[in-house]
Amino acid sequence: MSIKTYATAIRDVIAEEMRRDERVFIMGEDIETLGGVFGCTRDLYKEFGTERVRNTPISEAGIVGAGVGAACAGMRPIVELMYMDFTFVAMDQLLNQAAKTRYVFGGKARIPLVIRGQQGIGRGNAATHSQSVETIFMHIPGLKVACPSTGADAAGLLRAAIRDDNPVIFFEHKALYPLKFEVPDDPDFIIPFGRADVKREGKDVTIVANLLYVSRALQAAAELEKEGISAEVIDPRTLVPLDIETIVNSVKKTGRLVVVHEAHRTAGWGAEIAAEITERVFPYLDAAPIRLGAKACPLPFNLGLENAATPQVEDIIKASKATLYK
Amino acid sequence: MISKERKRWIYETMNRIRYFELKVQSLFEQDKLRGSVHLYVGEEAVAATLCSLLRDEDYITSTHRGHGHCIAKGARMDKAMAELMGKATGYCKGRSGSMHIADFTKGNLGANAIVGGGIPIATGAALAAKLRGTDQVAVSFFGDGASNQGTFHESLNLAGVWKLPVIYVCENNGFGISVPTWQSTSVGDISVRGTGYNIPGFTVDGNDVYAIYEVAEQAIIRAKAGEGPTLIECKTYRHLGHWTGDPQPYRTREEVEKWKQENDPIRRMRERMLQEGDFTPEELDEIERAAIQEADDAAEFALNSPEPDPATLMEDVFYEGVQ
């Protein structure tokens, strides 16, 4: 184990995978000498050169599409987008091309492509630089969606993503980058996709959260504990594939579900989980599942407004108690 | 100079495309084939000439009007026809239909139903070739309409900066569905757009195999020498509507007839080959007959092929194996 920041954990995995497999390369905006705006590719060009660590023009549709093409042609590209909000600029290449190529070509194509970058709140970056957009990619068959909440998860999931022969959209969180975590040193440490992590065991209410909200859910659980309420906190880690079974088993035990995320509440991924749970284990439920998510407004610049737009620890506590009719 | 063998291949390929397309049209009219079908009749010189210069390991990306590229890049007519009918024996198990056929074993990275969608993908395939240090080239076929998409401009810039071995081949048939090119496109010759990206651009008569061959050969030499991309605009004309069933109110019958009578690429190639004296009319007739027979056989094969099993519906959404 080493203590590393979330950003360094990501950087080290990219380096190790590039050493392991010469087909792996990375391209993106400002990733070379600047090392990426968030430092995830710092100094990589010194070891791997500027052919394999490529600065690109600010040209999202072009570079994501080039990633699809390079993957079709046998390489294993990683495309870094500076803000995942910018995936919207490249939507055709992501949703129509990367996602569908394998299927419509009758299973003959493999698209070992990772699109990665950061998203989310915390720095007051305003409407087009603060969104959480993972739900959109969950909706389109053919893409895998990963959302690591710790340094170890970032390392294990990113390694799995790079070695996966499918397109993976990999969502990091800007507020997690500077935080320190224990990260395994094993260069083959992998967290397989589709395995949720029970971050804390409990028996009264199940709280499902991802990315930044895992730590907020854990804070809420610690507060609830003081009031004698035992909350189980689950991080699905990958939305596609989704480990619904772990959540099902938890809800069978607790009878209550709160899903909290930073993505907009309206038609957010929490709605999918709440619906799945309601369909699958309705008889076990002691209360209606509750969804918490960002309000249906663009994310505002002002930090006070940003907080008001997104769920806070108190909201998670309140929702958890509501499922217990407290 | 085009070698005799290559001339034969190009002429054969043009005929194979022509009779495949006419067969598709006939099957469509008999309601034996459905969906969105965009025929390539009249534009055969472009795909046949370009692909005569490519090997299986060279890549292409194609368009919604992709049957010609597919056949020119080595596809079998029977499996292609079966795919157009959505049959299990088709290239893509009946999932692609006309607009998404691909055959990776022949370097065909796919037709693309999104206008301009394939241009960055060919660019990426060329990047792969450059990173691996092979002498593979990628050719992206697209229409005049796609040259107004952002992907065209982004890709030309990227390939220009990175000197990628890619050839952008614009098939300018004069219309984006019903809109004449002059109404949608700010330049008279799309090839001048290369200038903005420091890429050589050429406009050629897209119905003249020899004219296309000359610039295509140079573009491939440039690509393999690491000198970067080339933009080639082939001015051509589609004999049929944008799609099968297009009422074509945007052009006159006389205009279409004039192109068919005076500027058919296959007829022009035939006349040139006879003029040059290395083929007899009988040899060329035989090539044509063989293409007609192949198209007939392909239709039979497709009509007699089974429908895909619905049990296979969820296969291949993801690759499930390990690397």
Side-chain angles (χ1 to χ4, degrees), chain B residues 190-192 200-204 215 218-219 222 230-234:
Chain B
I190 287 164
S191 62
V192 304
F202 302 94
T203 291
V204 297
V215 292
Q218 290 308 310
R222 256 179 68 77
T230 304
L231 170 62
I232 302 172
E233 178 192 21
C234 299

Side-chain angles (χ1 to χ4, degrees), chain A residues 264-281:
Chain A
H264 293 293
R265 181 177 182 278
T266 311
W269 61 263
E272 172 68 19
I273 288 184
E276 279 285 335
I277 291 299
T278 307
E279 281 181 5
R280 287 171 187 246
V281 287

Side-chain angles (χ1 to χ4, degrees), chain A residues 1 6 11 21 28 52 60 67 77 114 140-141 150 157 161 166 193 208 261 292:
Chain A
M1 287 285 181
Y6 184 90
R11 183 199 170 283
D21 185 343
R52 289 180 74 197
E60 285 82 7
V114 179
I140 302 296
T150 68
L157 291 171
N166 294 287
F193 279 25
V208 177
H261 52 60
L292 298 175

Side-chain angles (χ1 to χ4, degrees), chain A residues 3-10 38-40 118 121-123 151 173-181 212:
Chain A
I3 304 294
K4 290 180 187 176
T5 65
Y6 184 90
T8 306
I10 288 164
F38 293 86
C40 292
Q118 57 73 40
I121 58 167
R123 290 165 61 104
H173 197 290
K174 59 169 74 65
L176 295 176
Y177 279 144
L179 304 185
K180 289 186 173 167
F181 297 92
L212 183 63

Side-chain angles (χ1 to χ4, degrees), chain A residues 59 62 73 97 103 108 166, chain B residues 91 112 132 154 313 319 323:
Chain A
S59 190
Q97 313 299 338
Y103 187 81
K108 279 176 280 189
N166 294 287
Chain B
Y91 267 105
N112 204 305
R132 280 196 293 256
E154 294 191 29
L313 177 70
Y319 176 73
Q323 214 203 113

Side-chain angles (χ1 to χ4, degrees), chain A residues 8-69:
Chain A
T8 306
I10 288 164
R11 183 199 170 283
D12 288 353
V13 168
I14 296 169
E16 284 160 15
E17 290 303 299
M18 285 180 72
R19 272 177 221 129
R20 192 185 70 87
D21 185 343
E22 62 182 16
R23 295 170 298 174
V24 178
F25 72 99
I26 181 161
M27 57 180 166
E29 295 152 352
D30 300 282
I31 67 165
E32 191 192 302
T33 52
L34 187 62
V37 168
F38 293 86
C40 292
T41 56
R42 189 158 293 149
D43 293 337
L44 288 180
Y45 78 101
K46 289 182 182 166
E47 178 179 350
F48 300 103
T50 53
E51 283 286 299
R52 289 180 74 197
V53 181
R54 303 180 83 86
N55 268 348
T56 65
I58 300 164
S59 190
E60 285 82 7
I63 62 178
V64 169
V68 176

Side-chain angles (χ1 to χ4, degrees), chain A residues 194-215:
Chain A
R195 288 197 202 159
D197 190 27
V198 179
K199 298 285 182 188
R200 175 195 168 114
E201 292 197 3
K203 56 183 179 17
D204 296 328
V205 56
T206 301
I207 305 175
V208 177
N210 75 343
L211 290 164
L212 183 63
Y213 275 76
V214 173
S215 63

